[in-house]
Amino acid sequence: MTPQELASQLARILADIIAERSDGAERNDGGEPSDGPGRGEGGAEPPAIAVTEADTAVERPKNREHGDWASNAAMKFAKRLGTNPRELAQEIAERIAEVDGVAGAEVAGPGFINITLDAASAGETARRIVEQGAAYGRGDALAGQHINLEFVSANPTGPLHLGHTRWAALGDSISRVLRAAGAEVTNEYYINDAGSQMDKFGRSVLAAALGEEAPEDAYPGAYIQELGKKVLAEQPDLPEIAAQNRAGALELAQELGYRQQLAEIESSLERFNVHFDVFFSERTLHAKGGDGEQSPIETAVDRLREQGHVFEEDEAIWVRTTDFGDDKDRVFTRGNGVYTYFAADAAYYLSKKDRGFGEKIYLLGADHHGYIGRLTAIAGAAGDDTEKDITVLIGQLVNLNGARLSKRAGNIVELDDLLEWLGADALRYWLARYPADSPLALDGEKLRSRTNDNPVFYVQYAHARTRAVDRNAAAAGVDRSAFAPELLTHETETELLGKLQEYPSIVAGAAELREPHRIARYLEELAAAFHRWYDNCRVIPQGDEPVEDLHRTRLWLNDAAGQVIRNGLDLLGVSAPDRL
RNA sequence: GCCCCGGUAGCUCAGUGGAUAGAGCACUUCUCUCCUAAAGAAGGUGUCGGAGGUUCGAUUCCUCUCCGGGGCACCA
């Protein structure tokens, strides 16, 4: 019996009760003017009360005395049924107690229904998890959805730094969680490879390659010098080209430097266990088609104009984004004929729409929060549903104590250095462990510690323990030839099983709310439940005690715990080592 | 001025309208002849920033307000 099955049993019982009550008695209590269509005649039918499994979802009570699972459905429905919560709860409790696998049910407090399961019924979960393996916890709540998830999108003019790492970790985990819930997700990185910062980058790289003094406004940091050397190695005749055709050399240096830098960014991300499906170049939005066809940006302004949202003023072309809640209208084409960044954003949004994505998620830092209004307005102006087709997630900034500034990258904290110092696992886990909207201050030494105060090690240690037990069990002749779930009666076993049963709903909730930190918090609780169980219940008999079915059954439970920790860590992009 | 996000235990932070608001750390004890003690057990702490409101019930939702952080462009 899983919590989901319990919820569906409760929903059935509640629906039965509602049906019985409305069949029988008083339908004439005066009030309730029902003004719906087709209700004009005859005996006023009571308004239908629909029950879904969400209404009867059960919770794991904090207090063990409140049973294995608790429902507050009676309190939710009592009013609508014109009865009091405790009375309704009593009725539900009597019926749920009759269900196979339920050991008992009682009413408590203002109308909670506290349900206790048979040990065998609860223990069955262990076998189910082992059999489902990596699939345990995955669901289909988001099946059929095509989601575009854009994150990081750092300028290709320098290395990734701390400011990008939180979005990299969070975005990739969100993607994994959404996929676990059945969605099809494309991870996308928008490359700002057009515009003045690229020119500045080109000038910086060319000067470095030629050994010239850096221009006034050059990008700081030794990495520019490194890029210059690489560019020169790739294009040894660059000095000659520069002497004859400065503009040509500039373009060449910019291009080669850009390719090099982007490749480095990609490789840093892969080392961070973050994978992008699409790197989308801003330039493609500016580029005209083969036969002088319009560029996507030019097309975009026409499309918005057709929707009636474009106007001209002061020689500039504007989009009336205030119609969609933006705080001011936005310029599309400047007075000098140049497109703004906003124009590219609009064309980019349309590209996502044209590529068939329903929901487009943007993961942005708090310093970009001014984008919410304009991006949402673009969606609206494009004829999309601003509620469902676009989501802008804003994350607060992170700072990390003890991290050394990178001279190479111009006194920022570089991702590559963080990876070397802390490792991808610790960094990813800690960054995914907090909700995006909470400001975050990390302590570097804590991320490196190998004790209880470092949750990533605590969780990984629990996993390694399950593997150690598994290895030792094999050596001691404990196998899975028997499974007797009714024997799993120890307090810590009930608790561990309960945690394991919660996992699918944790994943579903994390996907719905786009909050992978829920997975991390859950894993910490699961690991704690496992450690407690490990300390109390032995899988392998001591001394010359014989191997019994209890030991064999516990081996299933041990493996189930390991499997769920593995599945959860995978959603965070963190490894689950067999040994620590 | 307007907009967004925070304010919960000494510290770092969880908490999708429910029961006595939680976890880790820090502090004090205890537990390996025993599968990884990188672990477990016990010990106490709160004006949930403040004031109103919504309701059977509010840390959670609404309004106002105080404090802290971030943001406002024909920059990219």
Side-chain angles (χ1 to χ4, degrees):
Chain A
M1 175 77 69
T2 67
Q4 290 75 27
E5 288 162 357
L6 200 51
S8 97
Q9 291 290 336
L10 283 168
R12 180 185 56 76
I13 288 169
L14 189 54
D16 285 351
I17 292 173
I18 291 168
E20 287 164 24
R21 293 198 171 214
S22 58
D23 273 355
E26 78 251 63
R27 5 185 91 179
N28 228 354
D29 50 357
E32 297 292 334
S34 60
D35 50 3
R39 283 192 170 264
E41 46 165 4
E45 217 163 284
I49 301 175
V51 182
T52 68
E53 285 182 29
D55 294 319
T56 55
V58 291
E59 283 184 351
R60 195 82 190 161
K62 287 168 221 156
N63 189 335
R64 284 295 304 143
E65 288 165 17
H66 294 152
D68 293 331
W69 299 99
S71 165
N72 61 7
M75 291 182 284
K76 284 187 189 161
F77 281 85
K79 198 171 193 179
R80 280 187 270 172
L81 281 170
T83 179
N84 78 64
R86 283 195 63 102
E87 195 180 302
L88 179 59
Q90 188 56 44
E91 201 171 337
I92 296 170
E94 281 165 16
R95 299 196 194 190
I96 195 71
E98 299 302 314
V99 170
D100 208 30
V102 174
E106 55 189 41
V107 178
F112 290 101
I113 304 160
N114 293 334
I115 301 164
T116 309
L117 299 182
D118 284 339
S121 169
E124 191 57 36
T125 303
R127 192 212 316 249
R128 192 185 310 221
I129 292 169
V130 171
E131 286 171 355
Q132 290 188 15
Y136 180 69
R138 306 187 80 87
D140 56 6
L142 302 181
Q145 293 199 24
H146 288 50
I147 298 175
N148 181 283
L149 177 64
E150 185 200 330
F151 59 109
V152 184
S153 298
N155 281 353
T157 54
L160 295 178
H161 56 76
L162 179 59
H164 303 121
T165 55
R166 189 175 190 182
W167 320 130
L170 209 49
D172 188 66
S173 295
I174 289 174
S175 171
R176 289 166 187 250
V177 167
L178 291 174
R179 285 172 179 157
E184 271 182 49
V185 185
T186 295
N187 291 4
E188 190 151 320
Y189 185 119
Y190 181 59
I191 315 166
N192 293 128
D193 54 4
S196 64
Q197 87 283 354
M198 284 304 286
D199 298 336
K200 173 173 150 182
F201 174 71
R203 286 194 299 277
S204 307
V205 173
L206 180 63
L210 299 179
E212 296 171 356
E213 195 181 329
E216 189 84 358
D217 64 343
Y219 278 100
Y223 76 95
I224 290 285
Q225 299 303 318
E226 293 170 19
L227 283 176
K229 285 192 190 114
K230 285 176 186 161
V231 166
L232 188 60
E234 205 174 330
Q235 191 75 45
D237 59 347
L238 192 62
E240 291 74 41
I241 297 175
Q244 290 171 6
N245 174 4
R246 184 76 189 184
L250 195 57
E251 199 183 322
L252 204 51
Q254 179 181 314
E255 261 339 269
L256 292 172
Y258 163 41
R259 296 296 157 203
Q260 184 68 40
Q261 184 58 61
L262 187 62
E264 285 182 20
I265 288 174
E266 287 185 47
S267 101
S268 296
L269 287 168
E270 291 294 339
R271 259 177 292 143
F272 199 36
N273 206 6
V274 172
H275 177 75
F276 282 93
D277 303 299
V278 174
F279 281 84
F280 190 98
S281 159
E282 181 188 347
R283 287 179 183 175
T284 61
L285 298 172
H286 295 273
K288 290 188 183 293
D291 306 320
E293 281 172 32
Q294 286 193 319
S295 71
I297 288 186
E298 289 163 339
T299 310
V301 74
D302 289 345
R303 287 168 72 176
L304 297 179
R305 187 177 277 126
E306 278 166 27
Q307 301 269 343
H309 305 302
V310 173
F311 67 99
E312 297 191 23
E313 193 176 295
D314 299 336
E315 296 174 11
I317 297 172
W318 298 69
V319 179
R320 202 176 296 285
T321 52
T322 48
D323 284 351
F324 301 95
D326 199 3
D327 53 354
K328 59 194 72 166
D329 291 326
R330 302 289 165 180
V331 172
F332 195 98
T333 310
R334 280 184 255 164
N336 59 12
V338 176
Y339 293 108
T340 61
Y341 200 77
F342 171 80
D345 282 341
Y348 183 35
Y349 183 88
L350 289 170
S351 157
K352 289 178 180 175
K353 181 178 162 75
D354 292 346
R355 282 183 281 148
F357 294 108
E359 184 175 8
K360 299 104 187 149
I361 304 179
Y362 292 76
L363 184 50
L364 303 174
D367 53 341
H368 281 68
H369 111 268
Y371 274 57
I372 299 174
R374 76 190 70 165
L375 288 173
T376 307
I378 289 171
D384 274 358
D385 181 336
T386 56
E387 296 290 321
K388 286 193 302 205
D389 293 329
I390 183 165
T391 304
V392 183
L393 298 174
I394 296 295
Q396 297 299 307
L397 303 177
V398 60
N399 74 61
L400 196 152
N401 298 324
R404 254 174 297 172
L405 297 176
S406 159
K407 221 172 180 181
R408 188 184 97 86
N411 285 337
I412 61 172
V413 180
E414 217 184 322
L415 174 56
D416 286 348
D417 293 340
L418 291 174
L419 286 173
E420 194 180 325
W421 181 38
L422 304 168
D425 279 352
L427 204 49
R428 285 210 54 162
Y429 189 93
W430 277 83
L431 289 169
R433 185 173 181 257
Y434 301 89
D437 50 12
S438 90
L440 184 51
L442 297 183
D443 178 342
E445 284 313 312
K446 249 186 193 170
L447 270 72
R448 289 167 61 81
S449 96
R450 299 167 75 79
T451 59
N452 224 345
D453 62 346
N454 188 355
V456 68
F457 275 96
Y458 184 75
V459 173
Q460 285 182 321
Y461 178 55
H463 180 263
R465 260 187 163 175
T466 67
R467 305 307 298 149
V469 168
D470 199 73
R471 288 190 296 269
N472 293 327
V478 179
D479 58 26
R480 291 203 204 123
S481 60
F483 181 69
E486 69 279 4
L487 299 178
L488 298 175
T489 55
H490 191 274
E491 191 185 341
T492 60
E493 289 176 325
T494 313
E495 195 195 341
L496 179 56
L497 283 165
K499 273 281 164 254
L500 293 172
Q501 288 173 322
E502 275 184 86
Y503 181 64
S505 68
I506 298 290
V507 175
E512 184 193 336
L513 298 166
R514 286 83 209 263
E515 290 184 342
H517 77 273
R518 288 167 187 276
I519 305 288
R521 300 292 170 161
Y522 165 81
L523 286 174
E524 289 162 31
E525 291 171 17
L526 174 59
F530 171 78
H531 285 308
R532 274 194 291 275
W533 172 72
Y534 174 93
D535 269 20
N536 283 281
C537 299
R538 293 189 54 89
V539 172
I540 295 156
Q542 272 177 273
D544 33 337
E545 289 172 13
V547 174
E548 294 173 358
D549 281 354
L550 176 59
H551 301 112
R552 301 190 181 97
T553 306
R554 281 177 174 166
L555 183 58
W556 287 80
L557 180 56
N558 174 76
D559 291 348
Q563 183 68 55
V564 174
I565 294 174
R566 220 154 37 240
N567 293 358
L569 284 175
D570 183 61
L571 293 181
L572 300 177
V574 175
S575 70
D578 285 350
R579 288 186 170 83
L580 283 185

